[in-house]
Amino acid sequence: MFPTLITVLFGLLALGIPVAAVLVIVTLVLDHSFSFFPVLPVVGEMLWGGSTSFTLIAVPLFILTGELLLSSGIAAGMFMAIDRWVRVIPGGLLHTIIGSSALFSATSGSSVATAATISTVAIPQMKAGGYAPPLFLGSIAAGGTLGILIPPSINMIIYGVLSDQSIGQLYLASFIPGLMMALIFSVMVFAMCRLDPAKGGRREAPATWAEKIESLPALVPPLLLFVLMVGSIYLGIATPTEAAALGFLAALALAAWRRKLSMAVLVHAAERTMRTTCMVMLIVLAAQLLNFVMVSIGLADQIKTAVAALNAPPLAILAAIVIIYMVLGCFMETLSLMIATTPIVVPVIVGIGYDPVWFGVVFMILIEMALITPPIGMNLFVVQSVRGEGNFNDVAMGALPFVGAMLVIVILLIALPDLALWLPDFVRG
């Protein structure tokens, strides 16, 4: 049964059929071939229940918040403010890119939105600063991946829904690894630019203390949004969905305060949000339907039994899963990879004794790798699209060192699980 599922799933994806359609086709094949009762009579009720999920309402709200930050100029102001503080470090603007990506990720929750926003602001300065295109463009693509690890993360919400885990616990678990990843990115850029100063562009004159102090107000809006959204979740004041609503209202107020709020801005932000949300929700609903069939025919239990029969050490099974995801990430779009495999892999992970919250963090990093590994890496295409010229290989090759840095984080999390689990355990008391 399992080989049939894998063969049909990846065969259809290889043909270029839309992900949601593939999931529905696989559902119907499994239902027709193995189910003791037809699933079609309950499809309407299941899809309605999934589409009205209170938790998933957070997805469009986070996307809309990020769109408003971009349209109101808050993202550009944040970028310039960070640049004044870090431009003296070897690598200059590259550290600004990573820092801005981390801060913007803490308000938008989307990797693609982060990569697109930072690309729009940073790429025009690449030539002026004399930076080597591969490392510069690769840092933007890799920095964008922080959007699905640093809370609030849209992908974490989807993982939590599919694996039945607490969104709040997942956010707590991903906070420290997310900051560690941003730090490792910067350390790696620093080392590369010290070894080859030509990659780090021309050294700019350091900003004066007056200029640094003057730039601080531009950092207040994104920090305020982060504290409002994530703080309200951690303090138990709001659910992730309610926190997303608070973030949207705050972004709306900030755009109005900056006199950037207009009907044209609202319509543009709503249209882009609607496009992204419809794509995500259609895939999520199809995945929930597939999950229902897999549970009803006992596929999840069969996979766990088969893995247990191997008598392999848990670490060996985990290592195999990591390698499989690294390979699949080269050929599958990240959202489809996550949604298609979460219901299969999480029961296996739990069955061999690993914490599903901890694995959620490892999983997000593996998905981050898929975002910047050719030929399907979404962030690579986003950065190249904003660039609008030059060779795509510049972006792809520039991102490869960051894939290695992500693998280091995965190894650290496997060796030291408390990097992810300490904060959730501490908050639980």
Side-chain angles (χ1 to χ4, degrees):
M1 187 190 306
F2 183 61
T4 301
L5 170 66
I6 295 299
T7 301
V8 174
L9 178 64
F10 291 108
L12 293 175
L13 287 172
L15 293 175
I17 299 175
V19 177
V22 169
L23 296 177
V24 171
I25 292 172
V26 172
T27 299
L28 295 176
V29 170
L30 290 177
D31 176 53
H32 177 74
S33 304
F34 304 105
S35 181
F36 297 105
F37 54 88
V39 72
L40 290 179
V42 299
V43 167
E45 183 177 350
M46 287 188 59
L47 293 181
W48 175 256
S51 62
T52 56
S53 168
F54 181 72
T55 301
L56 288 176
I57 297 174
V59 173
L61 290 172
F62 281 132
I63 296 172
L64 192 54
T65 299
E67 291 291 342
L68 286 173
L69 292 178
L70 177 59
S71 301
S72 63
I74 291 175
M78 170 197 71
F79 185 91
M80 299 310 298
I82 293 176
D83 182 56
R84 291 187 179 182
W85 285 86
V86 304
R87 68 170 60 162
V88 295
I89 305 174
L93 201 60
L94 303 177
H95 299 285
T96 303
I97 289 169
I98 295 168
S100 298
S101 297
L103 189 53
F104 190 80
S105 297
T107 58
S108 74
S110 168
S111 173
V112 172
T114 300
T117 299
I118 302 303
S119 295
T120 303
V121 178
I123 286 179
Q125 304 182 48
M126 180 176 68
K127 290 182 179 179
Y131 290 90
L135 183 58
F136 189 92
L137 299 169
S139 67
I140 299 176
T145 65
L146 297 170
I148 64 172
L149 185 60
I150 294 178
S153 163
I154 293 172
N155 290 58
M156 274 294 192
I157 292 175
I158 296 173
Y159 173 83
V161 169
L162 294 177
S163 61
D164 196 26
Q165 300 299 315
S166 165
I167 308 299
Q169 292 295 303
L170 288 168
Y171 279 177
L172 286 168
S174 63
F175 187 75
I176 293 176
L179 294 181
M180 284 180 55
M181 183 169 295
L183 180 61
I184 287 178
F185 282 177
S186 277
V187 170
M188 186 183 71
V189 165
F190 174 84
M192 292 175 71
C193 291
R194 285 300 297 267
L195 292 173
D196 186 358
K199 292 182 177 180
R202 290 187 291 272
R203 298 295 296 271
E204 298 185 35
T208 64
W209 278 104
E211 291 175 330
K212 291 180 179 180
I213 300 300
E214 184 183 6
S215 70
L216 289 178
L219 299 176
V220 173
L223 290 173
L224 178 64
L225 283 174
F226 175 76
V227 171
L228 179 65
M229 291 190 290
V230 179
S232 62
I233 296 173
Y234 292 167
L235 293 175
I237 299 172
T239 64
T241 302
E242 292 165 344
L246 288 173
F248 165 66
L249 292 175
L252 204 63
L254 288 169
W257 176 66
R258 293 174 61 90
R259 298 184 179 181
K260 297 289 186 179
L261 189 62
S262 65
M263 184 57 67
V265 167
L266 287 175
V267 170
H268 179 70
E271 181 182 358
R272 290 173 60 90
T273 300
M274 182 173 62
R275 290 177 184 273
T276 305
T277 303
C278 287
M279 176 194 69
V280 171
M281 287 300 297
L282 189 60
I283 296 174
V284 170
L285 293 176
Q288 289 182 333
L289 194 63
L290 177 60
N291 292 354
F292 174 79
V293 172
M294 290 197 331
V295 171
S296 69
I297 65 178
L299 180 58
D301 291 334
Q302 291 182 33
I303 295 172
K304 285 192 291 185
T305 302
V307 171
L310 294 175
N311 290 323
L315 185 59
I317 297 174
L318 178 63
I321 290 174
V322 169
I323 293 171
I324 289 171
Y325 271 115
M326 290 180 66
V327 174
L328 290 178
C330 295
F331 305 102
M332 286 187 67
E333 189 272 326
T334 53
L335 184 61
S336 59
L337 174 62
M338 185 179 74
I339 289 178
T341 60
T342 296
I344 300 172
V345 173
V346 171
V348 173
I349 288 294
V350 174
I352 60 177
Y354 288 103
D355 190 300
V357 172
W358 168 85
F359 180 71
V361 180
V362 174
F363 193 17
M364 287 304 111
I365 298 174
L366 295 174
I367 294 297
E368 286 182 320
M369 291 185 193
L371 282 167
I372 58 173
T373 49
I376 308 295
M378 183 63 71
N379 279 17
L380 304 180
F381 289 104
V382 170
V383 173
Q384 180 63 19
S385 175
V386 175
R387 183 189 184 195
E389 62 180 12
N391 197 320
F392 175 77
N393 288 337
D394 288 342
V395 192
M397 296 303 296
L400 287 181
F402 296 93
V403 173
M406 291 176 185
L407 186 58
V408 169
I409 292 290
V410 169
I411 294 171
L412 286 174
L413 283 169
I414 293 173
L416 303 169
D418 281 346
L419 290 174
L421 296 177
W422 175 80
L423 191 56
D425 290 343
F426 177 79
V427 173
R428 281 199 299 259

